[in-house]
Amino acid sequence: MDRPKESEIKIENYLPTDQGPFVIHLEKEGLKHYEAGKLIIKAIGEKHMIDTTTIKDGKVKVRVTNYRSANMILASQELKSMGLKAYIPINHIISVGTIDGIKIEEDLEEIRKEIKCEAQPVKIERIMWYNHETKTEIPTEKIKISFRAYNLPSSLSIFGGLFLVKIFVPKLLFCKKCLSYGHFKKICKSQIERCPKCAKEIHPDTTCETNCKFCNTNDHPTNAKECQEKIRQFKIKKYMVQNKCSYKYAKDNYTNRVSQIFAVPEYSYAEIAKLRTTVQEYSRKLEDINNVFNVLYKYAFPQQPDTDKEESLDAIKAALTDYAEKQESPMEGHSSN
């Protein structure tokens, strides 16, 4: 299991101890976000609703001001009579994290009862490592904890021992038939089955060359840990968990964010010419500063002008004074004549 499901963790209402945000999902075929807003305002009043947004066709996200308003929507018989399904999205009320260092022989229920932190732990389970050679699951010292909280606690204590809580990112879904991410082989709709080694259409020859479907390189097969597409998919999945959003939203926003970071600015010819002139001017100024510094350095350290001796502020100040006096003295001699 990668993440808690509604069938495993039942959240039917918000509690007074819940911190929010208070979100309800409404589902009905063809439902628009403004229609949902109209129904919600009628049910609980305008002042208690924040906004409505479309998640996908027929599914709307509703944000309200407090837990009472959210529970009123959940209990509304009028909405139910209209065929609307209202529920709390599990990822808005449950956050999943991991801690490391719990011995395998420990009783997890006892551990759960002894957890001390600002969020209520509702489920705890040990993370298993799958051995592909023996096809068996091996228990690890890593524990996955589901908290009733929107924000994941940063730390917790067990019997006085402090543990740092890390965000839990579900395992990537990878299809061994079409070699794509996002689904398993059982529900794959592709008509083409691909070779896991060379990524071409499946064939009986086992001597084919290694090739990655996404990277188009023979350095590694598809779905290898160094595959750039696998790394990208993991980051999108992490973005989903951190921002509690859909895959589509995470994919679009993560891609846009990366594009903005590595975007190359576009300049007109006039702007480029101006920038080049500015750079040249600064280069000349830096050269002048360097020349002045060399002069000052020689005045400050006349015995060792070419060493890497640490500069002395007092020596530089004295050199400035001496240099200024030497520049002024010829002028004074000329004026006396």
Side-chain angles (χ1 to χ4, degrees):
M1 187 199 72
D2 287 333
R3 62 188 298 178
K5 297 179 181 179
E6 288 188 76
S7 59
E8 297 172 343
I9 300 179
K10 289 290 185 180
I11 304 294
E12 297 180 351
N13 291 284
Y14 281 105
L15 301 176
T17 52
D18 292 329
Q19 300 297 312
F22 301 101
V23 174
I24 299 293
H25 282 183
L26 291 179
E27 288 188 19
K28 183 182 178 181
E29 185 177 354
L31 181 67
K32 301 294 184 182
H33 66 302
Y34 73 89
E35 291 179 310
K38 182 179 179 181
L39 294 172
I40 297 303
I41 289 173
K42 185 178 179 181
I44 65 172
E46 187 173 2
K47 68 177 182 178
H48 296 299
M49 193 185 75
I50 299 175
D51 57 27
T52 62
T53 53
T54 299
I55 299 173
K56 62 180 183 180
D57 187 35
K59 187 174 181 179
V60 175
K61 173 183 174 181
V62 180
R63 291 194 305 157
V64 295
T65 57
N66 55 64
Y67 80 95
R68 290 190 181 90
S69 300
N71 289 342
M72 286 174 64
I73 297 172
L74 294 169
S76 175
Q77 294 299 322
E78 185 177 356
L79 295 178
K80 292 178 182 178
S81 65
M82 295 179 181
L84 273 80
K85 179 184 177 183
Y87 60 93
I88 301 173
I90 196 70
N91 63 340
H92 277 264
I93 198 66
I94 297 293
S95 295
V96 185
T98 64
I99 60 172
D100 204 355
I102 302 296
K103 289 184 176 180
I104 296 172
E105 60 267 22
E106 294 287 354
D107 180 10
L108 292 189
E109 184 57 25
E110 182 184 14
I111 293 293
R112 186 187 70 81
K113 292 178 180 178
E114 291 297 326
I115 291 176
K116 302 291 189 298
C117 68
E118 67 266 25
Q120 176 193 356
V122 295
K123 187 175 182 180
I124 181 171
E125 57 185 305
R126 191 173 296 279
I127 292 179
M128 310 295 283
W129 176 71
Y130 185 76
N131 189 323
H132 289 276
E133 294 182 359
T134 61
K135 295 183 178 180
T136 57
E137 289 187 333
I138 301 172
T140 69
E141 291 193 349
K142 186 175 287 187
I143 300 298
K144 182 171 68 172
I145 307 172
S146 301
F147 299 91
R148 183 173 180 128
Y150 181 82
N151 296 312
L152 191 70
S154 58
S155 63
L156 57 82
S157 68
I158 301 173
F159 292 113
L162 184 65
F163 292 85
L164 296 179
V165 181
K166 296 181 180 179
I167 190 170
F168 174 74
V169 181
K171 185 179 179 181
L172 292 175
L173 301 180
F174 181 74
C175 178
K176 294 182 179 180
K177 179 183 177 183
C178 67
L179 307 185
S180 297
Y181 291 97
H183 63 275
F184 286 133
K185 183 177 180 178
K186 288 183 179 180
I187 59 172
C188 182
K189 297 180 180 179
S190 175
Q191 300 299 318
I192 300 174
E193 184 173 357
R194 295 183 179 275
C195 170
K197 186 178 180 182
C198 69
K200 295 179 181 178
E201 192 168 349
I202 196 72
H203 52 79
D205 184 14
T206 58
T207 61
C208 56
E209 294 184 356
T210 300
N211 183 64
C212 177
K213 173 185 175 182
F214 301 103
C215 302
N216 196 25
T217 177
N218 57 8
D219 294 340
H220 59 269
T222 306
N223 199 35
K225 63 180 181 180
E226 61 267 36
C227 174
Q228 292 302 307
E229 178 61 16
K230 185 172 186 177
I231 295 171
R232 188 181 79 93
Q233 289 290 337
F234 177 81
K235 290 180 178 179
I236 292 173
K237 197 83 169 181
K238 187 175 182 180
Y239 188 96
M240 280 179 64
V241 177
Q242 290 175 326
N243 295 275
K244 300 181 182 294
C245 60
S246 65
Y247 174 81
K248 184 180 184 306
Y249 182 90
K251 180 182 176 182
D252 293 343
N253 283 268
Y254 173 78
T255 304
N256 292 337
R257 187 180 64 174
V258 172
S259 299
Q260 290 171 4
I261 292 173
F262 294 100
V264 178
E266 296 183 0
Y267 294 106
S268 65
Y269 178 80
E271 289 173 327
I272 293 174
K274 185 178 180 180
L275 285 170
R276 184 169 57 185
T277 302
T278 302
V279 170
Q280 290 173 347
E281 289 177 355
Y282 275 109
S283 298
R284 285 194 294 269
K285 288 180 181 179
L286 287 173
E287 186 177 355
D288 292 342
I289 291 171
N290 187 56
N291 292 335
V292 171
F293 178 79
N294 288 334
V295 171
L296 294 176
Y297 190 82
K298 288 180 180 180
Y299 268 89
F301 309 109
Q303 302 301 323
Q304 297 174 312
D306 297 325
T307 62
D308 292 331
K309 185 176 180 180
E310 184 178 356
E311 293 85 357
S312 167
L313 292 176
D314 292 336
I316 294 292
K317 185 177 180 180
L320 279 170
T321 304
D322 183 55
Y323 181 77
E325 289 175 352
K326 288 183 180 297
Q327 295 299 313
E328 292 176 359
S329 57
M331 293 297 294
E332 293 174 355
H334 178 76
S335 61
S336 63
N337 293 333

